[in-house]
């Protein structure tokens, strides 16, 4: 579970040219504008709230109302006209919620203490799937066993437990990874709707059945409903492709693809497409996630698209978080008139280590 608000350490505080009342604090890999009146200094503990944290609509957080109580990326100019990005919200330990704690330790998750929730784009908010009601004879409805049998039930909407949901860690939360001498494959982070598509072999004593699973970011979608996930599943005949793959790889009980669905009504259609499409970024089996280049080859053999590969051999050792965020800025390979959302870096050899660098320019331009 992502810690939207946690106890962290201030790594440093720097002045901002031409600004007398505010300064720039560094928390792990995040930089955030803070008030000089709070007196933050190197080594202090603080509460750090990540971007996309949504605060309760109370008087305490009234200053966030103009942002709909959501923490967003802010861009300012210093006294020399140079851009300064502020991402997150830094709060002192004198905040009333923290005063209620008997003990405070670095790393403590205080998300629930503040009543913070994660922002979900409107397109990602899930629909309830409920079977339609029917009318049955009264004499049958008198029996409890029959009422239980025909009672309306929610569809099978739970996300499969054997597959991890898609949510890469941001580089700001793991800056120490830049100290490792590793080779990375860099792919474009596509701004769409995250979908998961899986095929599971179900066997019993008398028969076998292939179960095809289609999911949004958080839940399963039992049947086609006109949204992007099922449209692209049918467009690329993903069920058939995964059945065929398992036929050639009988040692596996299941296989899954994860990707970003884009379309005319998805995330303001930044890529200017006319119909739903899918860009795969994960190829997963019970052994784990394949590395990016292996996944790309598998996906393209199935006739599908993989997210744009920007570099096959990137060494980030010695770079700073700011260096990597600067790399994340740039034009999208899907449409040169659009900014890319960022870059996902995955360790080239095994593909197990990974993180994302989200473009500050993209976030600010799109009000994120």
């Amino acid at each position: 579970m992502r810690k939207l608000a946690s106890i962290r350490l201030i790594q440093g505080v720097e002045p901002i040219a031409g600004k007398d009342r505010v300064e720039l604090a560094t928390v792990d890999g995040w930089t955030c504008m803070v008030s000089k009146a709070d007196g933050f200094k190197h080594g202090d503990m603080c509460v750090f709230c990540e971007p996309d944290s949504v605060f309760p609509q109370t008087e305490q957080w009234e200053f966030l109302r103009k942002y709909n109580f959501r923490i967003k990326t802010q861009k300012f100019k210093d006294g020399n006209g140079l851009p300064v990005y502020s991402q997150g919200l830094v709060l002192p330990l004198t905040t009333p919620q923290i005063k209620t704690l008997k003990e405070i330790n670095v790393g403590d998750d205080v998300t629930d203490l503040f009543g913070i929730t994660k922002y979900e784009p409107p397109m990602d908010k899930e629909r309830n799937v409920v079977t339609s009601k029917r009318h049955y004879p009264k004499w049958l409805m008198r029996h409890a066993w029959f009422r239980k049998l025909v009672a309306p039930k929610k569809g099978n909407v739970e996300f499969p437990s054997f597959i991890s949901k898609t949510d890469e860690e941001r580089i700001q939360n793991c800056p120490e990874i830049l100290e490792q001498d590793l080779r990375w494959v860099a792919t474009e982070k596509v701004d769409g709707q995250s979908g998961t598509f899986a095929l599971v072999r179900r066997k019993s004593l008398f028969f076998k059945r292939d179960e095809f699973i289609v999911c949004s970011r958080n839940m399963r979608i039992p049947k086609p409903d006109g949204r992007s996930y099922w449209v692209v599943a049918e467009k690329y005949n993903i069920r058939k492709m995964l059945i065929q793959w398992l036929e050639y790889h009988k040692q596996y009980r299941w296989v899954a693809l994860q990707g970003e669905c884009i379309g005319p009504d998805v995330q303001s259609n930044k890529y200017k497409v006319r119909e739903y499409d899918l860009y795969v970024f994960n190829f997963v089996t019970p052994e784990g996630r394949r590395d990016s280049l292996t996944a790309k080859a598998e996906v393209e053999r199935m006739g599908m698209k993989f997210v744009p590969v920007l570099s096959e051999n990137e060494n980030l050792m010695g770079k700073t978080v700011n260096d990597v965020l600067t790399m994340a800025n740039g034009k999208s390979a899907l449409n040169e008139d659009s900014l890319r959302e960022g870059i996902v870096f995955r360790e080239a050899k095994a593909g197990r280590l990974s993180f994302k660098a989200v473009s500050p320019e993209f976030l600010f331009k799109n009000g994120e």
Side-chain angles (χ1 to χ4, degrees):
M1 184 67 71
R2 179 176 170 186
K3 295 181 181 180
L4 292 169
S6 57
I7 305 298
R8 305 203 196 186
L9 292 177
I10 300 283
Q11 267 79 47
V13 180
E14 299 178 1
I16 303 174
K19 304 293 182 181
D20 297 326
R21 298 182 179 179
V22 294
E23 50 198 352
L24 202 64
T26 299
V27 180
D28 292 328
W30 300 96
T31 55
C32 188
M33 191 174 291
V34 296
S35 171
K36 286 186 177 181
D38 286 326
F40 289 116
K41 60 183 183 298
H42 173 78
D44 283 352
M45 284 199 295
C46 69
V47 179
F48 181 75
C49 306
E50 291 192 14
D52 282 344
S53 296
V54 179
F55 281 74
Q57 297 187 27
T58 63
E59 184 178 354
Q60 181 182 7
W61 311 112
E62 186 63 27
F63 68 94
L64 294 173
R65 179 174 291 278
K66 61 182 177 180
Y67 306 114
N68 293 321
F69 295 90
R70 173 186 167 199
I71 304 303
K72 300 182 179 183
T73 295
Q74 302 293 319
K75 181 181 180 180
F76 306 90
K77 287 187 177 180
D78 66 13
N80 298 320
L82 298 176
V84 177
Y85 289 99
S86 177
Q87 293 184 292
L89 176 67
V90 177
L91 299 171
L93 298 187
T94 54
T95 304
Q97 286 83 349
I98 300 300
K99 286 185 175 181
T100 65
L101 299 176
K102 294 181 179 179
E103 186 178 350
I104 304 173
N105 297 294
V106 174
D108 287 351
D109 186 348
V110 292
T111 304
D112 292 339
L113 181 66
F114 281 84
I116 291 172
T117 57
K118 183 180 182 298
Y119 171 75
E120 292 286 350
M123 287 295 294
D124 284 348
K125 292 181 179 178
E126 311 296 358
R127 306 173 183 175
N128 291 325
V129 182
V130 180
T131 56
S132 60
K133 293 183 179 180
R134 296 180 181 180
H135 297 285
Y136 298 94
K138 290 183 179 180
W139 65 272
L140 278 175
M141 293 300 290
R142 293 192 189 105
H143 301 284
W145 63 267
F146 185 79
R147 292 196 302 271
K148 184 177 180 180
L149 179 66
V150 299
K153 301 178 179 64
K154 288 186 177 181
N156 180 13
V157 296
E158 290 189 1
F159 194 93
S161 59
F162 56 89
I163 302 174
S164 297
K165 294 182 181 180
T166 60
D167 195 8
E168 301 283 354
E169 187 65 89
R170 291 200 190 198
I171 182 58
Q172 292 98 324
N173 287 329
C174 53
E176 67 281 353
I177 205 167
L178 299 178
E179 300 171 6
Q180 301 184 49
D181 187 10
L182 297 171
R183 186 166 65 91
W184 303 90
V185 174
T187 59
E188 178 171 340
K189 187 179 188 306
V190 175
D191 184 32
Q193 292 177 301
S194 180
T196 296
F197 311 86
L199 200 287
V200 184
R201 282 201 184 104
R202 303 291 189 191
K203 292 184 178 181
S204 68
L205 183 61
F206 301 105
F207 64 91
K208 72 174 184 176
R209 176 172 61 91
D210 293 321
E211 181 184 9
F212 183 49
I213 298 172
V214 175
C215 301
S216 63
R217 181 184 300 277
N218 297 314
M219 65 193 301
R220 182 173 179 176
I221 308 172
K223 56 185 178 180
D225 62 355
R227 284 187 288 174
S228 61
Y229 314 103
W230 269 101
V231 173
V232 298
E234 293 172 345
K235 175 179 179 178
Y236 288 106
N237 208 348
I238 296 178
R239 182 178 188 274
K240 179 182 178 181
M241 294 296 104
L242 296 183
I243 288 175
Q244 290 178 351
W245 192 89
L246 281 178
E247 284 298 317
Y248 283 100
H249 301 83
K250 297 183 184 295
Q251 70 271 33
Y252 299 121
R253 189 177 67 85
W254 59 267
V255 62
L257 302 176
Q258 294 178 309
E260 290 289 331
C261 302
I262 64 174
D265 59 352
V266 176
Q267 308 290 33
S268 302
N269 193 18
K270 298 178 180 68
Y271 307 109
K272 306 297 186 292
V273 296
R274 296 183 178 180
E275 60 183 28
Y276 289 127
D277 211 344
L278 174 69
Y279 285 87
V280 178
F281 55 76
N282 273 349
F283 190 97
V284 192
T285 72
E287 292 180 348
R289 185 174 64 185
R290 299 289 175 90
D291 69 87
S292 293
L293 298 183
T294 300
K296 180 176 186 292
E298 295 278 17
V299 166
E300 291 179 346
R301 274 194 289 269
M302 294 180 182
M304 287 180 273
K305 299 174 181 176
F306 198 74
V307 290
V309 175
L310 306 178
S311 173
E312 296 183 6
N313 187 13
E314 196 71 46
N315 193 317
L316 302 174
M317 187 176 182
K319 291 188 181 295
T320 66
V321 169
N322 189 59
D323 291 335
V324 176
L325 292 176
T326 300
M327 292 172 62
N329 294 329
K331 299 294 185 180
S332 170
L334 303 188
N335 187 312
E336 62 180 12
D337 293 329
S338 301
L339 293 175
R340 63 170 170 248
E341 185 183 3
I343 299 177
V344 174
F345 292 90
R346 186 163 298 163
E347 197 264 317
K349 187 175 181 180
R352 302 298 169 86
L353 285 177
S354 63
F355 65 88
K356 64 185 176 185
V358 183
S359 163
E361 280 291 343
F362 175 94
L363 292 172
F364 178 73
K365 180 180 178 181
N366 292 286
E368 301 292 328

